[in-house]
């Protein structure tokens, strides 16, 4: 047996001589495992040469020769090493956005019958290459379904490339896999072209897997997005709950609001979401569907001027880009209301009127609270509030309140910003004059004015300024609105007339 000599010849690049020697040993004793291993590594050198030269037929021919040797299943090293050559050839099968699927499929099919160390760096490299090749192909779930369970722990973590973070391999696979499930099953039409039919049963079967991914990797931002799309396809009424955490993170992207408009059941909320989508900076070429959907609702509301305004923006973009005008727009142009409508300069005032209603949807999972404003700093746009003896604090109000006043009762949704300082982030806010708040009361009683100029109505403190403003006198029967207030010096709660 010439195993060491064959190895030496291989390493010196004399692969033809190595082949002749290894074949001679193998022919003498084809059952000897060392003869098989020796010859397999020579065939590997030919595979490596073919990969460098991008000769796929030579590569596949030598791969088959290795498999024909029928090495023991524990002999995985030659196959593990081959994964890197597969990666080269798969990468060479992709030119820009064009993929040679004949080559890719031939390489993929040739993997059958091999034994790999699972998981391993080489196998993950192979999976990465297969992902790139198949990510937009209908066979993606078939290919990745066999690979995904053999990823390494590091494949679930961000990678570093040229000093920047790259999305984890597992995350990329999860997104492409979900997208493929949503796309559906391919069917050839009468012209032989592939068309996709969404398969609800397939989606339903996949959802528990998706739930497992979300629980295991909440940091993978887009998983709830794909789950919401699936639930929407199935007609699930709880889709909003799934989608809200994602929507909060991506609230500055127009398409989030476009999808929310499809998820919400209430027509007014749908309208508000479309308006919100159009307040965000977005290339006009992306907004055709949003504007068309909004125009449809505007027509239903008989807001014809506003509807024509939206339609004309879409028509202008289609004309400038040379794209076909959708049939729905052409149909509207033929209707009488369109001829009579007067387009506006824009619908920005309309968008701004409704966007707050849309933004409130993001926080519907947070309970509303009734509070009363206790102090307003108009210069800094900060307001103090009190709810009851257990909860008070402050927040910036500039994005949600225009002209807040002390004593104003609001229904709000808030999140703690700094618990130690009682600082909150105001999420939604609307005035409610009918709501009752523990921190506000009305009291009628006799005013007792002290020598210092301040007064009391029962247990309610009345400052001198309020007394003088109303020309109240000692012993007068008055009715006051009082606010719950905490006295830091005395460290106790009391009431102060406002």
């Amino acid at each position: 047996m010439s195993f060491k000599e064959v190895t030496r010849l291989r390493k010196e690049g004399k692969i033809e001589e190595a082949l002749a020697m290894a074949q001679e040993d193998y022919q003498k004793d084809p059952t000897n495992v060392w003869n098989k291993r020796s010859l397999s590594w020579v065939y590997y050198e030919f595979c490596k040469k073919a990969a460098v030269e991008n000769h796929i037929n030579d590569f596949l021919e030598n791969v088959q020769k290795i498999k024909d040797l029928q090495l023991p299943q524990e002999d995985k090293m030659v196959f593990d090493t081959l994964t890197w050559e597969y990666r080269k050839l798969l990468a060479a099968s992709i030119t820009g956005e064009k993929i040679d699927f004949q080559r890719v499929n031939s390489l993929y099919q040739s993997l059958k019958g091999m034994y790999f160390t699972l998981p391993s760096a080489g196998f993950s490299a192979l999976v990465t290459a297969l992902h790139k090749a198949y990510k937009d192909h209908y066979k993606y779930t078939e290919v990745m379904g066999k690979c995904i369970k053999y990823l390494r722990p590091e494949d679930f973590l961000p990678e570093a490339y040229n000093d920047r973070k790259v999305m984890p391999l597992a995350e990329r696979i999860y997104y492409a896999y979900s997208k493929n499930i949503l796309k559906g099953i391919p069917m050839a039409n009468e012209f032989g072209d592939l068309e996709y039919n969404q398969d609800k049963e397939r989606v339903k079967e996949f959802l528990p897997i998706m739930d497992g991914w979300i629980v295991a990797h909440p940091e993978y931002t887009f998983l709830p997005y794909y789950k919401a799309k699936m639930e929407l396809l199935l007609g699930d009424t709880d889709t909003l709950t799934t989608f809200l955490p994602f929507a909060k993170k991506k609230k500055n992207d127009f398409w989030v609001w476009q999808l929310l408009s499809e998820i919400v059941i209430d027509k007014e909320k749908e309208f508000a979401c479309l308006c919100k989508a159009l307040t965000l900076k977005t290339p006009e070429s992306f907004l055709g569907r949003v504007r068309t959907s909004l125009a449809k609702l505007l027509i239903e509301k008989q807001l014809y001027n506003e509807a024509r305004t939206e339609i004309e923006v879409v028509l202008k973009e289609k004309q400038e880009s040379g794209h076909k005008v959708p049939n729905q727009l052409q149909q509207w142009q033929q209707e009488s209301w369109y001829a009579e409508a007067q387009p506006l300069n824009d619908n920005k005032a309309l968008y701004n009127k409704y966007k707050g209603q849309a933004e409130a949807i993001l926080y519907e999972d947070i309970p509303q609270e009734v509070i009363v404003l206790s102090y307003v700093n108009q210069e800094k746009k900060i307001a103090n509030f009190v709810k009851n003896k257990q909860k008070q604090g402050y927040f910036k109000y500039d994005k949600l309140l225009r002209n807040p006043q002390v004593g104003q009762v609001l229904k709000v949704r808030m999140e703690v910003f700094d618990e130690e300082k009682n600082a909150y982030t105001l999420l939604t806010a609307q005035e409610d004059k009918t709501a009752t708040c523990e921190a506000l009361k009305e009291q009628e009683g006799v005013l007792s004015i002290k020598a210092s100029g301040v007064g009391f109505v029962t247990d309610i403190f009345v400052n001198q300024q309020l007394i003088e403003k109303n020309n109240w006198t000692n012993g007068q029967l008055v009715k006051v609105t009082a606010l719950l207030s905490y006295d830091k010096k005395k460290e106790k709660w009391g009431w102060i007339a406002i």
Side-chain angles (χ1 to χ4, degrees):
M1 188 174 70
S2 311
F3 186 83
K4 289 184 178 180
E5 184 63 17
V6 171
T7 302
R8 182 185 65 78
L9 290 169
R10 281 195 305 107
K11 290 184 177 180
E12 290 176 0
K14 299 173 181 178
I15 57 175
E16 294 291 347
E17 293 178 41
L19 177 63
M21 189 175 292
Q23 283 178 331
E24 184 179 347
D25 287 340
Y26 179 72
Q27 286 163 6
K28 287 177 182 176
D29 187 0
T31 61
N32 186 304
V33 70
W34 287 100
N35 289 342
K36 288 183 179 185
R37 288 169 181 162
S38 179
L39 186 53
S40 72
W41 282 106
V42 176
Y43 288 146
Y44 164 75
E45 292 295 341
F46 281 96
C47 288
K48 185 177 178 181
K49 181 175 182 291
V52 170
E53 296 171 353
N54 199 21
H55 291 160
I56 188 169
N57 291 334
D58 291 346
F59 177 83
L60 294 174
E61 182 181 331
N62 283 283
V63 164
Q64 188 58 48
K65 287 177 181 178
I66 295 174
K67 292 196 290 184
D68 288 344
L69 291 172
Q70 296 184 334
L71 289 160
Q73 287 193 21
E74 61 269 20
D75 277 28
K76 299 174 181 177
M77 188 177 292
V78 68
F79 295 127
D80 286 343
T81 311
L82 265 175
T83 56
W84 302 99
E85 310 311 319
Y86 270 93
R87 185 179 186 180
K88 290 176 190 173
L89 286 167
L90 285 165
S93 303
I94 304 172
T95 308
E97 295 184 4
K98 189 177 179 182
I99 300 173
D100 187 339
F101 280 111
Q102 186 174 352
R103 275 174 55 110
V104 169
N105 286 327
S106 295
L107 289 164
Y108 172 64
Q109 293 300 325
S110 73
L111 292 168
K112 293 176 181 177
M114 294 187 182
Y115 313 114
F116 300 106
T117 300
L118 302 171
S120 66
F123 188 74
S124 291
L126 175 61
V127 172
T128 302
L130 289 170
H131 163 75
K132 288 179 180 177
Y134 280 105
K135 65 181 179 180
D136 295 317
H137 195 273
Y138 68 89
K139 282 189 175 181
Y140 186 83
T141 51
E142 173 194 326
V143 175
M144 283 299 133
K146 298 172 183 177
C147 303
I148 202 167
K149 57 186 176 181
Y150 298 118
L151 296 177
R152 303 168 301 157
E154 50 264 57
D155 293 328
F156 291 86
L157 303 174
E159 302 170 22
Y161 182 76
N162 288 344
D163 295 326
R164 66 183 181 90
K165 276 190 175 182
V166 178
M167 187 184 293
L169 173 61
E171 186 174 4
R172 282 176 272 154
I173 292 173
Y174 285 173
Y175 293 164
Y177 202 101
S178 304
K179 187 178 177 182
N180 189 278
I181 292 285
L182 272 168
K183 199 172 185 180
I185 305 297
M187 302 283 287
N189 62 21
E190 57 186 315
F191 304 107
D193 296 324
L194 286 180
E195 292 182 349
Y196 289 84
N197 296 316
Q198 289 180 315
D199 187 336
K200 290 187 177 182
E201 283 304 313
R202 187 178 180 223
V203 169
K204 192 180 294 184
E205 290 172 5
F206 176 70
L207 274 175
I209 298 172
M210 171 67 84
D211 286 336
W213 289 353
I214 291 172
V215 170
H217 298 282
E219 73 277 15
Y220 292 178
T221 308
F222 277 85
L223 288 180
Y225 166 78
Y226 287 112
K227 183 183 178 185
K229 294 278 281 186
M230 291 175 189
E231 289 180 341
L232 192 59
L233 175 65
L234 297 175
D236 195 315
T237 56
D238 204 30
T239 307
L240 185 61
T241 303
T242 298
F243 190 60
L244 280 180
F246 172 81
K248 289 173 185 176
K249 293 177 183 176
K250 295 289 182 180
K251 62 184 178 181
N252 292 323
D253 293 325
F254 86 95
W255 48 267
V256 167
W257 298 98
Q258 183 179 0
L259 183 55
L260 263 176
S261 74
E262 298 172 24
I263 292 173
V264 294
I265 299 170
D266 184 274
K267 279 275 187 181
E268 283 302 302
K269 289 181 178 179
E270 177 188 355
F271 185 84
C273 286
L274 293 169
C275 286
K276 172 63 183 179
L278 293 169
T279 65
L280 301 168
K281 290 183 179 179
T282 311
E284 191 56 50
S285 57
F286 295 155
L287 295 174
R289 279 183 56 203
V290 177
R291 292 193 186 280
T292 302
S293 298
L294 182 60
K296 181 176 181 294
L297 296 179
L298 287 166
I299 294 167
E300 291 176 7
K301 289 175 174 286
Q302 298 185 353
L303 296 172
Y304 298 126
N305 294 343
E306 290 83 354
R308 180 165 177 173
T309 302
E310 294 299 323
I311 293 167
E312 289 198 352
V313 175
V314 180
L315 291 173
K316 182 182 177 184
E317 192 282 322
K318 297 297 180 189
Q319 184 180 15
E320 291 176 351
S321 64
H323 292 148
K324 183 179 179 295
V325 175
N327 292 333
Q328 177 67 82
L329 269 63
Q330 295 182 44
Q331 181 182 326
W332 283 335
Q333 285 182 291
Q334 304 306 313
E335 295 176 6
S336 59
W337 69 263
Y338 189 88
E340 295 169 6
Q342 298 296 317
L344 310 172
N345 290 332
D346 57 57
N347 280 332
K348 288 181 181 178
L350 179 77
Y351 308 153
N352 290 328
K353 180 180 177 182
Y354 284 91
K355 72 175 184 179
Q357 185 178 338
E359 289 164 353
I361 296 170
L362 294 183
Y363 307 104
E364 286 188 353
D365 56 337
I366 297 175
Q368 275 191 320
E369 303 175 73
V370 178
I371 62 166
V372 59
L373 299 185
S374 56
Y375 175 76
V376 177
N377 186 324
Q378 293 184 341
E379 184 180 343
K380 294 183 178 180
K381 306 296 182 187
I382 290 175
N384 289 58
F385 74 89
V386 58
K387 177 183 177 181
N388 50 37
K389 290 182 179 180
Q390 288 73 47
K391 189 169 186 177
Q392 65 168 329
Y394 69 92
F395 48 66
K396 285 187 71 70
Y397 65 78
D398 52 317
K399 292 182 179 179
L400 294 174
L401 298 172
R402 286 190 177 181
N403 187 30
Q405 303 292 323
V406 171
Q408 189 174 15
V409 177
L410 300 172
K411 277 188 176 178
V412 301
R413 291 184 176 90
M414 301 182 291
E415 284 181 338
V416 175
F417 176 70
D418 187 329
E419 190 169 3
E420 194 174 318
K421 294 181 179 179
N422 287 331
Y424 289 79
T425 300
L426 189 62
L427 304 173
T428 68
Q430 61 184 87
E431 185 175 20
D432 191 335
K433 294 180 179 178
T434 63
T436 57
C437 179
E438 294 178 52
L440 200 65
K441 71 176 182 178
E442 287 191 346
Q443 181 73 47
E444 189 174 64
V446 175
L447 175 63
S448 173
I449 301 177
K450 307 300 180 184
S452 61
V454 301
F456 286 88
V457 175
T458 62
D459 61 338
I460 299 168
F461 175 79
V462 186
N463 65 39
Q464 187 174 357
Q465 186 180 4
L466 191 61
I467 293 171
E468 292 174 351
K469 179 182 177 183
N470 290 282
N471 295 317
W472 287 338
T473 58
N474 188 42
Q476 184 178 349
L477 185 66
V478 299
K479 187 176 183 180
V480 295
T481 300
L483 182 67
L484 187 64
S485 178
Y486 185 72
D487 190 326
K488 290 183 179 179
K489 290 182 180 179
K490 296 180 180 180
E491 296 184 343
K492 69 176 186 177
W493 289 90
W495 293 90
I496 181 168
I498 58 172

